[in-house]
Each structure stands twice: as structure tokens, then as C-alpha cells.
Amino acid sequence: MSAPEFKLYDSLSRTVKPIQTVEPNQLRFYSCGPTVYSYAHIGNFRTFITSDLIVRTAQSIGWKVTYVSNITDVGHLTQDDVADASGEDKMARALQSKEGEEFANVWDLARHYADAFESDWRHLNLLPPSVRPRATDHMREQIVAVQDLIEKGHAYETPTGVYFNVDSFAEYGKLSGNRDRESLQVAVRDVVQDDNKKSPADFALWKKDDKHLMQWFSPWGWGFPGWHIECSVMAQKYLGDTIDLHGGGEDLKFPHHECEIAQSEAGNGKPFCNHWLHVTFLQVEGEKMSKSKGNFYTARDLFDQGFGPLALRLALISVPYNKPHNFTLQTLRDSQAHIDRFTESLDRIGKAGFTMDDFPDGQLPEGPLSKLSEIYSEAQAAMLNDLNTSVAVAKALEGNKLILRDHLDGKTAAQAAWFLKKINNLLGIVYATFADPSEGEEFEAEPEINGKLITQWIVERSEAKAAKDFAKADQIRNDLAVAGYELRDSIEGTDWKKIR
Ligand code: AMP
Ligand code: ZN
């Protein structure tokens, strides 16, 4: 039997095509994460859940997935929001807002919203990424990347910063189709319009600003990185020079992803990414979400209203990622009813004496519900065909209806458990897999990794940094990330957190 193909629309070639991984059966996937200046809204989660479904679908055909989803905690400016052309830093602006009053500083604010985001992530049954890197933890790498682009003639310094020279990279515009100067000028993130730029379309790699709330010392003085450079650097660091798949919401195609391609490919002359995914924006009650229209929901707003996280997840995936999705509270209520029917099946399976852990993945056990195997295969085939979630969800519901039709006995309960576990692995809509690790966190013993306690590694890393042995310091952080622990640097020191 030939290996199954995973077909997905590719925004670069503008065709639906099989994902061709560099290494057979190993997907290296980078998905742009949130800017942590407030709570993530349900549109953000449409995009993050789509990435999650890609990971699950790839795993369902036996692929090993290395999945990187970052946290943007510096450098994301407001200027490309049509309604706000002031070009402030999103983090700094949040600190000055009413909500910002409760935070001691911008680091505190970033930490709060990043923690809240990770908690929402787990509640919505999103798989933990292999690595969740933060922009502020990768400052040295970003500075080195900017220096390299200057040395190679792709970037230049002005009194306000360092800019990428788009005329030096002939393929600039290949992803978005924005090739003429006029369209290139639209939405280029830039705090100050600088007359010293060679072309108005040149985008910022580094902004000089010794008043900025988050600033680092660089060869160009105090300042902070442009937003795009973080993703080029972190994608290549954790996934290699050429990655298999890169994703985000449709707004990221230009300028963010276009700029990522330019920086990466100009830097090393290799293709940056073989397949690009962009998620169509979610609308709410027929309109673009906005606070002033009262149709703006964070995930936690809806949890507070009593909707379960799985109902929200189901509502968000009920329409395929590439189709316009008009989210309504009625969709959410309907989804809640479907989730309740899954819960009903789980109860009946429990009463028949089984748990979901009794059935390792494999063949459907013998019994009268043999049709469940075919229904699962149809759901999986739909996902492998450009993530057709509406068909896959319909198949999940069809299987559950079959399960609920008759009383479950020893045989049928085993078959039902097999089906619901497989469907949950594929779509994540049947039962929650991840408890919130923040609950009971204080009782957790400090982990030992490669023979040392994590705090010992933190001390060793600080010593390495002080001795300017950055390779060793980075190695320690990477080893800990691989073991499932993230280090977080702030002005108060370094802290650690379990990420999976
Ligand atoms: P941000 O926190 O603004 O950087 O956005 C995080 C992710 O959510 C990005 O991939 C955005 O493209 C995506 N996103 C933002 N708004 C929406 C929306 N309404 N629907 C779907 N994705 C969105
Ligand atoms: Zn990004």
C-alpha cells in the first residue's frame, strides 16, 4: 500500500498539493504564535487550532512532527492596523492602558498574558508544541542575523535603525504577490518614517530607541528588533535552514511572512520554507470582531459564560480553515449539544467497565459496530484532503450516533472506546487530554535533567553567559527545552516552567 498523502493548500504555489517533507515522514512545522499584550481572542484560536489539527493529522499517518509555536513578546508594532497608524509597540501600549495598570512593568505584563495564553491553549485541547520559544529569549541570535544581513549587503544602517533593502532580494513579493512599489509600501511596519531609507518599502530589522520599555544593547546602540526577524531566527534555530511548513492567519502573509522569506533566503541562499498555510479570518455575528461592536470574544469570556472549551473548539473547526467562518453564539450552543452527546457515550463506556486507556491505538476490536472503522477512515481522509473539518466533524458525529443507538455491552463498548479515542487524537473534540498544570503546581518537585536539578542548570547557564560562552548557554536552554522545560529570562532573573 502506498504511503498516504497529506494535501494542503500552499499559499506560495497557490495550489493544493501534498506536503513534501525534507526528511521522509518527519514534519518540521513553524506556526506564528500570539503577541502577548492581551488575552487571545477566538479568531486567534481559529488559527492556532488549525495548526494543532495539522499536527494531529500528520501524527495520524505516523509522521513524527517537530512543532514550534513562538511567543512574540517584543517588537510587534501597531502600525499595520488600519485603525491605528501610530506605530507604537503593542506591549508598551498595553501597559499604558487601563488593563495595564495592574502590572509592575512590561515584562510582568508579558508574563501574565503568556501564562493566560498557555492555560487557554491547554483548555482548548491543543497539543503542546515541541518548543515554544520567546522572542526576548533569542535576542543575541536576532542581532547576529541582522549583522549577517548587513555584511551580505542586504541591510543597512540609518540614524533610526537597520533596514532590509528589498531591492537586494529579487524574489521579494513572491508570497503575497505585492511586487510593485506601491503595494509594497502598504503595511510595512516601521515606527518612524525615515527619509534615509533607500526605498520606502524597506522594512525594519532593528529599531534604535533608548527610551523603549524593552531595549537591548546592539552594535547599533540601544534598541529592539523588528518583528519579522524573530520568526526567521527561531524557525531556523529549531527546525533547520529549510522547513517543511509555516503557518499563521491570513494577515501574516504580508508583510510578516514575506519579510521572513526575504531575511532567511537572503541570509543563507537556501529555500526557507516549502509549504505555506494561511487561515481565513474568523468573523463574529457577520462582522469583523471588534471591541467597539461588542462582538469581540476571548476564549475565557466564553468559558465564563458557561460554554465548555471543547464546545468552543468544535464550533471553531466546524467550518474548514480556508472558508469564511461566521461564528455565532448559536453555533456554540449547537456544538455544546454535540459535546454533551460525546460525554454521554463516554459515560456509557465507563459504565460498561472501560476507560479510554484500555484500548491502545490499532485495529477496531471485533464486534457488531465494525462500521466505525470505515467512518474513522473517512474522517481521516477528509483531514488529509486540505483539512476538510466539516466532513471530518460530520463523520465524528455519525460514529457517535451509531454508538448511542443501542445499549453498550462488553464488545460494543470496546469498539466505541476505540473510535472515540481515534477521533479525539485526530480532532481533539471528545474529551480533554491535558489538565491545567498550573493547578497544584507548588507541590511539584523540582525536576532533574541530565543528572542536575533545573536550578543548577540555570546557574551554570548564567555563568556561561557571564563568561561570554553563549554557545554553551544556548545549549543548556535547548537541552532543557527538549526535556520539556522552558527558561524565562527577565530583569528579575531566570525562571523555569514545564511546557509539556
Ligand atoms: P497576534 O496575536 O495578533 O500576533 O495574532 C496571532 C495569530 O492569530 C496570527 O496568526 C494571526 O494571523 C491570527 N489571527 C488574528 N485575528 C484572527 C482572526 N480574526 N481569525 C483568524 N486568525 C486570526
Ligand atoms: Zn511569525
Side-chain angles (χ1 to χ4, degrees):
M1 210 178 78
S2 61
E5 284 187 336
F6 185 174
K7 289 197 201 133
L8 197 63
Y9 181 80
D10 167 34
S11 319
L12 183 59
S13 63
R14 297 168 177 76
T15 52
V16 177
K17 60 174 201 184
I19 302 174
Q20 297 281 358
T21 55
V22 174
E23 297 289 332
N25 303 331
Q26 287 196 28
L27 179 67
R28 288 173 305 157
F29 175 29
Y30 187 95
S31 170
C32 288
T35 309
V36 284
Y37 65 99
S38 69
Y39 297 112
H41 58 65
I42 57 174
N44 300 136
F45 277 108
R46 179 180 207 202
T47 292
F48 302 134
I49 295 174
T50 301
S51 293
D52 181 70
L53 290 173
I54 286 180
V55 177
R56 287 168 181 272
T57 304
Q59 287 176 341
S60 83
I61 51 169
W63 288 6
K64 178 175 175 286
V65 183
T66 313
Y67 172 37
V68 178
S69 179
N70 68 304
I71 288 205
T72 297
D73 51 3
V74 66
H76 194 163
L77 307 177
T78 55
Q79 196 180 24
D80 69 336
D81 296 346
V82 178
D84 183 346
S86 58
E88 288 172 89
D89 181 290
K90 290 195 174 195
M91 309 289 296
R93 192 179 63 166
L95 188 68
Q96 282 140 21
S97 73
K98 179 106 189 64
E99 290 79 28
E101 284 169 12
E102 61 185 282
F103 302 108
N105 57 29
V106 75
W107 302 91
D108 189 27
L109 176 137
R111 183 180 300 234
H112 172 83
Y113 287 121
D115 285 350
F117 172 69
E118 290 185 42
S119 169
D120 291 349
W121 178 284
R122 285 187 291 271
H123 279 97
L124 285 164
N125 236 8
L126 288 143
L127 297 166
S130 316
V131 188
R132 198 192 293 284
R134 279 160 199 256
T136 51
D137 284 339
H138 294 75
M139 210 41 71
R140 192 179 67 81
E141 292 94 328
Q142 294 182 71
I143 291 172
V144 168
V146 176
Q147 273 177 312
D148 187 50
L149 287 169
I150 295 178
E151 275 161 30
K152 291 186 172 136
H154 292 291
Y156 57 90
E157 186 180 354
T158 75
T160 63
V162 178
Y163 293 89
F164 186 93
N165 178 353
V166 297
D167 288 334
S168 76
F169 182 66
E171 295 192 63
Y172 193 70
K174 68 179 170 181
L175 178 66
S176 59
N178 290 334
R179 288 201 178 259
D180 58 280
R181 288 204 158 224
E182 209 167 292
S183 52
L184 284 176
Q185 278 180 45
V186 178
V188 171
R189 290 160 200 264
D190 181 4
V191 191
V192 185
Q193 281 306 327
D194 181 345
D195 293 338
N196 297 295
K197 283 189 353 185
K198 293 186 178 164
S199 155
D202 292 352
F203 59 88
L205 296 168
W206 186 264
K207 297 303 302 186
K208 296 179 183 177
D209 187 353
D210 61 6
K211 305 273 180 315
H212 196 255
L213 289 179
M214 295 172 125
Q215 49 173 294
W216 289 263
F217 194 66
S218 76
W220 319 284
W222 290 97
F224 63 99
W227 171 39
H228 318 302
I229 193 75
E230 72 173 85
C231 286
S232 289
V233 160
M234 297 191 289
Q236 293 186 315
K237 171 165 182 171
Y238 294 102
L239 299 173
D241 289 342
T242 301
I243 66 177
D244 300 314
L245 175 67
H246 194 319
E250 61 183 345
D251 61 326
L252 298 192
K253 202 188 282 181
F254 187 84
H256 187 54
H257 289 160
E258 194 74 67
C259 296
E260 279 189 47
I261 294 176
Q263 295 159 161
S264 311
E265 298 191 355
N268 62 20
K270 297 180 192 160
F272 173 49
C273 174
N274 288 330
H275 211 118
W276 287 87
L277 162 94
H278 290 103
V279 178
T280 304
F281 261 29
L282 184 78
Q283 296 210 321
V284 176
E285 308 287 354
E287 290 188 279
K288 184 173 188 272
M289 247 192 297
S290 92
K291 284 189 177 151
S292 59
K293 286 186 194 136
N295 66 348
F296 182 98
Y297 297 114
T298 65
R300 47 195 55 217
D301 288 339
L302 296 170
F303 303 158
D304 288 347
Q305 288 184 30
F307 293 106
L310 292 181
L312 176 56
R313 181 176 169 108
L314 177 57
L316 289 173
I317 73 169
S318 59
V319 175
Y321 76 96
N322 51 2
K323 302 260 171 350
H325 184 352
N326 180 26
F327 179 92
T328 63
L329 288 181
Q330 190 52 46
T331 329
L332 191 52
R333 282 183 211 109
D334 295 345
S335 300
Q336 186 66 63
H338 293 312
I339 297 295
D340 293 345
R341 282 196 285 278
F342 284 129
T343 310
E344 167 71 27
S345 294
L346 295 175
D347 281 351
R348 291 202 203 173
I349 291 168
K351 286 193 182 113
F354 295 107
T355 74
M356 303 315 283
D357 294 330
D358 293 335
F359 303 97
D361 285 348
Q363 296 300 311
L364 176 71
E366 291 274 305
L369 297 181
S370 58
K371 195 162 191 301
L372 288 176
S373 172
E374 188 186 317
I375 298 176
Y376 171 74
S377 298
E378 286 165 351
Q380 186 190 34
M383 294 303 283
L384 290 167
N385 186 14
D386 202 12
L387 294 186
N388 191 336
T389 47
S390 54
V391 171
V393 165
K395 291 288 154 192
L397 302 180
E398 181 186 331
N400 198 43
K401 202 166 161 194
L402 199 62
I403 290 168
L404 287 174
R405 203 180 51 189
D406 293 316
H407 170 77
L408 292 183
D409 60 22
K411 275 197 168 163
T412 49
Q415 291 185 302
W418 176 90
F419 177 78
L420 291 178
K421 185 166 184 175
K422 294 281 275 188
I423 284 290
N424 203 46
N425 288 347
L426 186 68
L427 301 174
I429 52 175
V430 184
Y431 53 91
T433 326
F434 308 103
D436 190 340
S438 61
E439 285 154 25
E441 202 170 56
E442 67 244 57
F443 302 112
E444 200 186 322
E446 187 181 338
E448 199 180 288
I449 294 136
N450 302 335
K452 280 186 198 164
L453 290 174
I454 200 158
T455 40
Q456 289 174 308
W457 284 119
I458 290 175
V459 171
E460 205 162 303
R461 177 168 164 266
S462 318
E463 286 167 359
K465 273 179 156 178
K468 300 218 176 329
D469 186 352
F470 296 115
K472 180 173 175 193
D474 284 350
Q475 188 62 46
I476 292 174
R477 195 181 53 211
N478 288 353
D479 289 349
L480 295 180
V482 168
Y485 295 91
E486 182 184 70
L487 294 188
R488 297 162 155 207
D489 296 318
S490 75
I491 40 174
E492 288 136 26
T494 303
D495 204 358
W496 61 271
K497 185 159 194 267
K498 190 166 175 26
I499 46 174
R500 56 181 188 279

Short mmCIF file of all heavy atoms in Angstrom, two decimals, residues 283-302:
data_model
loop_
_atom_site.label_atom_id
_atom_site.label_comp_id
_atom_site.label_asym_id
_atom_site.label_seq_id
_atom_site.Cartn_x
_atom_site.Cartn_y
_atom_site.Cartn_z
N GLN A 283 -15.03 35.62 11.51
CA GLN A 283 -15.92 36.76 11.75
C GLN A 283 -16.89 36.37 12.85
O GLN A 283 -17.12 35.17 13.07
CB GLN A 283 -16.72 37.07 10.49
CG GLN A 283 -15.86 37.51 9.33
CD GLN A 283 -16.61 38.45 8.43
OE1 GLN A 283 -17.80 38.25 8.18
NE2 GLN A 283 -15.97 39.48 7.94
N VAL A 284 -17.45 37.36 13.52
CA VAL A 284 -18.40 37.04 14.60
C VAL A 284 -19.70 37.79 14.34
O VAL A 284 -19.69 39.00 14.11
CB VAL A 284 -17.83 37.43 15.98
CG1 VAL A 284 -18.87 37.18 17.06
CG2 VAL A 284 -16.58 36.60 16.29
N GLU A 285 -20.79 37.04 14.35
CA GLU A 285 -22.13 37.60 14.07
C GLU A 285 -22.06 38.45 12.80
O GLU A 285 -22.57 39.56 12.73
CB GLU A 285 -22.65 38.43 15.26
CG GLU A 285 -22.63 37.72 16.62
CD GLU A 285 -23.70 36.64 16.81
OE1 GLU A 285 -24.56 36.49 15.94
OE2 GLU A 285 -23.63 35.94 17.85
N GLY A 286 -21.38 37.94 11.78
CA GLY A 286 -21.38 38.56 10.46
C GLY A 286 -20.43 39.73 10.28
O GLY A 286 -20.44 40.37 9.22
N GLU A 287 -19.63 40.02 11.28
CA GLU A 287 -18.75 41.19 11.15
C GLU A 287 -17.35 40.89 11.65
O GLU A 287 -17.12 39.93 12.39
CB GLU A 287 -19.30 42.33 11.99
CG GLU A 287 -20.58 42.91 11.43
CD GLU A 287 -20.99 44.16 12.19
OE1 GLU A 287 -21.59 44.01 13.27
OE2 GLU A 287 -20.69 45.25 11.70
N LYS A 288 -16.43 41.78 11.26
CA LYS A 288 -15.08 41.67 11.79
C LYS A 288 -15.17 41.89 13.30
O LYS A 288 -15.89 42.78 13.75
CB LYS A 288 -14.22 42.78 11.16
CG LYS A 288 -12.76 42.73 11.54
CD LYS A 288 -11.98 43.77 10.71
CE LYS A 288 -10.49 43.61 10.93
NZ LYS A 288 -9.89 44.28 12.00
N MET A 289 -14.45 41.09 14.04
CA MET A 289 -14.51 41.22 15.50
C MET A 289 -13.92 42.55 15.95
O MET A 289 -12.85 42.92 15.48
CB MET A 289 -13.64 40.12 16.12
CG MET A 289 -14.40 39.11 16.88
SD MET A 289 -13.28 38.10 17.83
CE MET A 289 -12.36 37.34 16.58
N SER A 290 -14.63 43.23 16.78
CA SER A 290 -14.01 44.43 17.34
C SER A 290 -14.66 44.77 18.67
O SER A 290 -15.85 44.49 18.88
CB SER A 290 -14.10 45.61 16.37
OG SER A 290 -15.26 46.35 16.62
N LYS A 291 -13.86 45.33 19.56
CA LYS A 291 -14.37 45.62 20.90
C LYS A 291 -15.53 46.61 20.83
O LYS A 291 -16.52 46.46 21.52
CB LYS A 291 -13.25 46.15 21.79
CG LYS A 291 -12.33 45.03 22.22
CD LYS A 291 -11.34 45.43 23.27
CE LYS A 291 -10.54 44.20 23.68
NZ LYS A 291 -9.21 44.44 24.12
N SER A 292 -15.41 47.60 19.92
CA SER A 292 -16.45 48.63 19.88
C SER A 292 -17.78 48.07 19.39
O SER A 292 -18.85 48.54 19.75
CB SER A 292 -16.00 49.80 19.01
OG SER A 292 -15.75 49.31 17.72
N LYS A 293 -17.75 47.02 18.57
CA LYS A 293 -19.02 46.45 18.07
C LYS A 293 -19.61 45.46 19.06
O LYS A 293 -20.69 44.90 18.84
CB LYS A 293 -18.77 45.72 16.75
CG LYS A 293 -18.54 46.66 15.59
CD LYS A 293 -18.45 45.86 14.30
CE LYS A 293 -17.88 46.73 13.20
NZ LYS A 293 -16.88 46.05 12.40
N GLY A 294 -18.90 45.17 20.14
CA GLY A 294 -19.41 44.25 21.15
C GLY A 294 -19.42 42.81 20.69
O GLY A 294 -20.11 41.97 21.27
N ASN A 295 -18.71 42.48 19.62
CA ASN A 295 -18.69 41.08 19.15
C ASN A 295 -17.28 40.49 19.28
O ASN A 295 -16.87 39.66 18.49
CB ASN A 295 -19.17 41.00 17.70
CG ASN A 295 -18.22 41.69 16.73
OD1 ASN A 295 -17.32 42.41 17.14
ND2 ASN A 295 -18.42 41.47 15.45
N PHE A 296 -16.57 40.97 20.26
CA PHE A 296 -15.19 40.54 20.47
C PHE A 296 -15.17 39.56 21.65
O PHE A 296 -15.56 39.91 22.76
CB PHE A 296 -14.34 41.78 20.79
CG PHE A 296 -12.88 41.50 20.98
CD1 PHE A 296 -11.98 41.70 19.94
CD2 PHE A 296 -12.41 41.05 22.20
CE1 PHE A 296 -10.64 41.45 20.10
CE2 PHE A 296 -11.06 40.79 22.38
CZ PHE A 296 -10.17 41.00 21.32
N TYR A 297 -14.75 38.33 21.40
CA TYR A 297 -14.72 37.34 22.48
C TYR A 297 -13.33 36.77 22.66
O TYR A 297 -12.73 36.29 21.69
CB TYR A 297 -15.63 36.15 22.16
CG TYR A 297 -17.09 36.49 22.05
CD1 TYR A 297 -17.75 36.36 20.83
CD2 TYR A 297 -17.81 36.93 23.15
CE1 TYR A 297 -19.10 36.65 20.72
CE2 TYR A 297 -19.16 37.22 23.04
CZ TYR A 297 -19.80 37.07 21.83
OH TYR A 297 -21.12 37.36 21.71
N THR A 298 -12.86 36.78 23.88
CA THR A 298 -11.70 35.96 24.18
C THR A 298 -12.24 34.57 24.52
O THR A 298 -13.44 34.40 24.79
CB THR A 298 -10.93 36.50 25.40
OG1 THR A 298 -11.76 36.40 26.55
CG2 THR A 298 -10.49 37.94 25.20
N ALA A 299 -11.34 33.58 24.51
CA ALA A 299 -11.78 32.22 24.86
C ALA A 299 -12.35 32.23 26.27
O ALA A 299 -13.42 31.66 26.54
CB ALA A 299 -10.59 31.26 24.75
N ARG A 300 -11.67 32.93 27.18
CA ARG A 300 -12.13 32.89 28.58
C ARG A 300 -13.45 33.62 28.80
O ARG A 300 -14.20 33.26 29.70
CB ARG A 300 -11.03 33.37 29.53
CG ARG A 300 -10.34 34.62 29.12
CD ARG A 300 -9.04 34.85 29.89
NE ARG A 300 -8.09 33.77 29.81
CZ ARG A 300 -7.32 33.39 30.84
NH1 ARG A 300 -7.39 34.00 31.99
NH2 ARG A 300 -6.46 32.41 30.69
N ASP A 301 -13.78 34.61 27.94
CA ASP A 301 -15.12 35.24 28.04
C ASP A 301 -16.20 34.17 27.90
O ASP A 301 -17.19 34.16 28.63
CB ASP A 301 -15.36 36.22 26.88
CG ASP A 301 -14.55 37.49 26.97
OD1 ASP A 301 -14.10 37.82 28.08
OD2 ASP A 301 -14.34 38.15 25.92
N LEU A 302 -15.97 33.29 26.92
CA LEU A 302 -17.00 32.28 26.64
C LEU A 302 -17.00 31.18 27.70
O LEU A 302 -18.06 30.67 28.06
CB LEU A 302 -16.79 31.71 25.23
CG LEU A 302 -16.98 32.77 24.14
CD1 LEU A 302 -16.54 32.26 22.78
CD2 LEU A 302 -18.43 33.23 24.07
#
